[in-house]
Amino acid sequence: MKKKVLLMGASGSGKTSMRSLIFSNNPASLTSRLGATIDVEQNHVRFLGDLILNLWDCGGQDAFMDSYLTTQRSTIFQHVGVLIYVFEIESRDMSKDLLYYRDCLDALRKYSPDAAVFLLVHKMDLVTGDKRAALEKKRRELQHESGDVDVTVFGTSIYDESLYKAWSRIVHAIIPNAAVLTKHLTTFAETCNATEAILFERTTFLVIATSATTRAPPSPSNAYSALTSPNSNSTTTTTVTTPNGTNTDPGANVPVSAETADSDPHELSATRYERTSELIKALKHACSRVREEFHVLEMELPEFTAVLDEMTKNTYVLLVVHDPSIGASCLVWSCPVACVGGRGADGGGGYIETAALKINIRLARKKFEELQSSSVVS
Amino acid sequence: MPPSTDPPSSPHSPIDRTKILILGQRRSGKTSIVQVLFNDGNPKETFYLEPTTRIAKFTYEYHRHPARDMGLSWEHLPRRPQPPIAVCFYHLRDRYPGDLLRLGSAGRHPSHADSPHCTLQDSYQQPIARLLEFFTTAFGENPDMPLEVFVHKSEAFTDDYKIENFRLIHLRVNEELDDISPEYEQMPLNFHLTSIYDHSINEAFSKVLHRLIDSLPYLEQLLNVFVANSQASKTFLFDVKSRLYVATDASPVDTGTHNLCCDFVKTLTAFGPLYKSVSESPRRIQECPNSKPLFYPSAAMSLAPPSMGTTLTYHLITPQLALLSVLPTLVYESKRGLVEYNVVFFREGVQEIWQVEKDARTGQL
Ligand SMILES: Nc1nc2c(ncn2[C@@H]2O[C@H](COP(=O)(O)OP(=O)(O)OP(=O)(O)O)[C@@H](O)[C@H]2O)c(=O)[nH]1
Ligand SMILES: Nc1nc2c(ncn2[C@@H]2O[C@H](COP(=O)(O)OP(=O)(O)O)[C@@H](O)[C@H]2O)c(=O)[nH]1
Ligand SMILES: [Mg+2]
């Protein structure tokens, strides 16, 4: 199954840069070497199983834009699954940007009325003052310009995790039956006594699905709940600031029900999903610099135990466990198999064995392999 | 963010701190290095650092060796540095043309982009003269004082260009020292090519640190024993916060492996706070296992392919130091118990050394 994704916006707004970060694992520092995109660059990215993203990176110079909107109008705007429109936060000519944007929206409404629209307010790192306020202002302006079209606005920058947050949400919108994945991840997390299970796409490390928080039972229809609830959690004490010391979290992009808003008893960091994507991508990049390929990460830290391992051919799963009473005294050189099923023979040890988690992941592989193909075919 | 001043003296004071003097031209990157290594600074933020106009002191405790670090510019060159001191001098031309002008006689030097080679002679002349002046004075005061030269901001140039420049500076300093007096051949002088945008600064500063660690041979011996018994191909004892390695085993250091270990430690440090649970983590720490005397964090990263690849392991040894080792994944998977046993053994060794040094320092020996 193919999904056409249009990536549009003024020249220099950062489209090709974000594409090379997310899909090619290039570091942000190298993006300054990118030249302007000529016409449209098409990429096919195999995502989950049979799901292929057909990414159209549309060069943003006026001449190209004019041609997209006239002679190429139907070619460009037909069969679009998602339109991603990129605005620079400090745009040189916002009124022109908006003129083109409105024209694109009109074309989209005509040729692909069901397409989802995401607006990225990009280069947020350049804002020196109050980033949140600047983004809010832009958000209101853009929502106003979009009229009755439903749009989701994100503030992004290639220099922090905000880009992963936006793209995870975009991808999540594309995957059919993501809710089924969430449901099975939740079951899987419960089996392992894990606080959380997070599924990542293998090459991009974007978050595909997460288990629902344990306390509030998730409704299958609420596929977004796990993805959005941490964002609304403003009471967290472990909020991680971005490298430049500011929090560019654009806040609630999707209305979150009060029920999910405080259903996280652990108060984990609100930005953990996108930060994990960012950290693992950086680690993968570090591995590739020495011509190695990242495979598995396991951690037994004072605060938690976690394993990041391959789930299926196209995905990785992160299992996070806090409960000290599972896994027990089962040290690996004795018998890790005793831990399978979540609970060790003796709960007194409090030593969670990552090997046991790895075995659980191995056992779940087949199930998820099946699930994934069925959820994609739908 | 200026470097912090001396913290209030600890209960064990007076502690005999080792001084590290950091000297160099203005804007050569001294404060940035200190920020990045010891204050968790982000290299990009160093762009906004205020110039240091006076001697800035700050202390960093690693393991048992408190090091004092002073940043000062040429203008504040002390005439009589007191031993024991290790001196670092950094210099490489700034890529910002404005700074170039400040070095030599203004206006004469084209920027790097225009003419990469002809500027070398001119723009390095004055800094090298200052360096020689300081080194000869220092050598006169204390011939054993280790002197380290950091040729800095190297990432901005192509490999060929920076290696050529590095070689020329090295040659030039040696020649000029030789011209002044043959006795300077004995000078304990080292050169490093560094940048805060990669791990070269960590590697170079680690080597500086090694000259200050009395117990280095014992730590190295412990690492050698660990390597022999665990089939590890490489081990480092890292200071987690600064990502400097305090010791390594006898096998040569491969820069790629070193960098990957740095990145691994960095990732682990960042992961901790992300999944820390307000409700569960404290309970977890409280109920720490009786089977293990203390809760020692550990981690491992395996590289593909699973059957033939390698695994990087991480074990915290003291609150600051972690053992990083590179093992065949097969060994890690099949003999993890043995590896962990060796870690326990290693940990006891390190703690013993630590105790002896602590006793020596507080005068109980
Ligand atoms: N390209 C590059 N720039 C660097 C590097 N290290 C520092 N800089 C930049 O060099 C400039 C000056 O750095 P500082 O640390 O303020 O220099 P300083 O030697 O302390 O200068 P004074 O304050 O006058 O003592 C800053 O803009 C840093 O970002 C490096 O490794 N590479
Ligand atoms: N400061 C900043 N610059 C960015 C960001 N993203 C991209 N850029 C820079 O913007 C310039 C143009 O980016 P590019 O992707 O070529 O734009 P395109 O014409 O839309 O494809 C490049 O120099 C990038 O390095 C960002 O998040 N922050
Ligand atoms: Mg482009």
Side-chain angles (χ1 to χ4, degrees), chain A residues 15-16 35-37 57:
Chain A
K15 303 179 291 295
T16 310
T37 306
D57 179 358

Side-chain angles (χ1 to χ4, degrees), chain A residues 59-365:
Chain A
Q61 294 176 45
D62 291 358
F64 300 136
M65 290 300 278
D66 293 336
S67 131
Y68 306 148
L69 290 163
T70 53
T71 48
Q72 292 177 277
R73 199 169 173 104
S74 62
T75 331
I76 298 276
F77 291 98
Q78 251 172 31
H79 309 302
V80 177
V82 174
L83 167 68
I84 303 168
Y85 209 100
V86 183
F87 295 91
E88 256 180 275
I89 181 80
E90 286 171 356
S91 167
R92 276 150 304 214
D93 191 351
M94 192 62 186
S95 54
K96 191 177 82 185
D97 294 355
L98 288 175
L99 218 61
Y100 278 127
Y101 168 61
R102 273 191 307 260
D103 210 348
C104 287
L105 267 196
D106 285 341
L108 193 71
R109 224 177 318 195
K110 169 146 183 251
Y111 291 98
S112 304
D114 294 329
V117 180
F118 291 90
L119 308 183
L120 305 187
V121 178
H122 195 51
K123 307 199 187 180
M124 285 299 293
D125 57 292
L126 297 180
V127 180
T128 42
D130 186 347
K131 290 178 201 261
R132 202 173 259 277
L135 179 64
E136 249 342 285
K137 187 162 162 276
K138 261 290 194 288
R139 185 201 306 281
R140 253 177 277 121
E141 183 181 358
L142 290 173
Q143 255 152 3
H144 176 75
E145 292 294 333
S146 311
D148 56 355
V149 179
D150 240 350
V151 296
T152 308
V153 185
F154 288 98
T156 55
S157 161
I158 55 170
Y159 293 108
D160 62 42
E161 73 277 5
S162 58
L163 192 65
Y164 292 98
K165 179 179 179 170
W167 278 83
S168 283
R169 286 286 309 279
I170 291 169
V171 154
H172 195 264
I174 294 172
I175 299 169
N177 292 344
V180 179
L181 283 176
T182 299
K183 189 170 136 245
H184 283 86
L185 271 182
T186 308
T187 312
F188 181 51
E190 278 163 6
T191 315
C192 303
N193 244 310
T195 311
E196 202 161 48
I198 304 159
L199 198 66
F200 298 92
E201 197 278 327
R202 187 193 181 101
T203 42
T204 57
F205 255 87
L206 295 173
V207 178
I208 295 171
T210 66
S211 62
T213 25
T214 31
R215 212 175 276 172
S219 58
S221 63
N222 192 0
Y224 269 165
S225 71
L227 270 169
T228 50
S229 64
N231 304 335
S232 59
N233 185 349
S234 55
T235 55
T236 176
T237 50
T238 50
T239 301
V240 174
T241 46
T242 59
N244 38 19
T246 48
N247 202 335
T248 51
D249 180 5
N253 297 288
V254 161
V256 178
S257 68
E259 176 220 21
T260 54
D262 37 32
S263 64
D264 178 12
H266 296 286
E267 296 182 34
L268 302 181
S269 163
T271 53
R272 65 190 179 280
Y273 301 135
E274 51 268 28
R275 282 281 289 150
T276 303
S277 299
E278 191 194 17
L279 285 170
I280 300 300
K281 285 286 281 245
L283 197 59
K284 281 180 72 170
H285 185 72
C287 290
S288 69
R289 269 202 305 258
V290 289
R291 281 179 295 284
E292 293 281 6
E293 193 192 328
F294 172 81
H295 186 229
V296 182
L297 177 64
E298 48 192 276
M299 294 174 268
E300 282 167 23
L301 304 180
E303 300 88 6
F304 60 89
T305 293
V307 171
L308 178 69
D309 197 355
E310 281 175 307
M311 186 54 132
T312 65
K313 273 202 302 297
N314 308 299
T315 58
Y316 261 79
V317 72
L318 177 69
L319 273 178
V320 181
V321 182
H322 290 97
D323 189 343
S325 66
I326 64 156
S329 52
C330 160
L331 298 177
V332 75
W333 59 85
S334 50
C335 181
V337 186
C339 302
V340 178
R343 216 163 271 274
D346 158 30
Y351 174 47
I352 304 157
E353 190 48 66
T354 52
L357 291 176
K358 283 205 275 187
I359 290 170
N360 277 327
I361 292 173
R362 201 190 310 151
L363 292 176
R365 243 166 226 164

Side-chain angles (χ1 to χ4, degrees), chain A residues 3-26:
Chain A
K3 281 272 184 180
K4 178 170 165 185
V5 179
L6 279 187
L7 190 51
M8 304 190 87
S11 183
S13 58
K15 303 179 291 295
T16 310
S17 303
M18 52 175 86
R19 180 169 64 108
S20 83
L21 243 78
I22 299 276
F23 295 100
S24 316
N25 200 15
N26 286 330

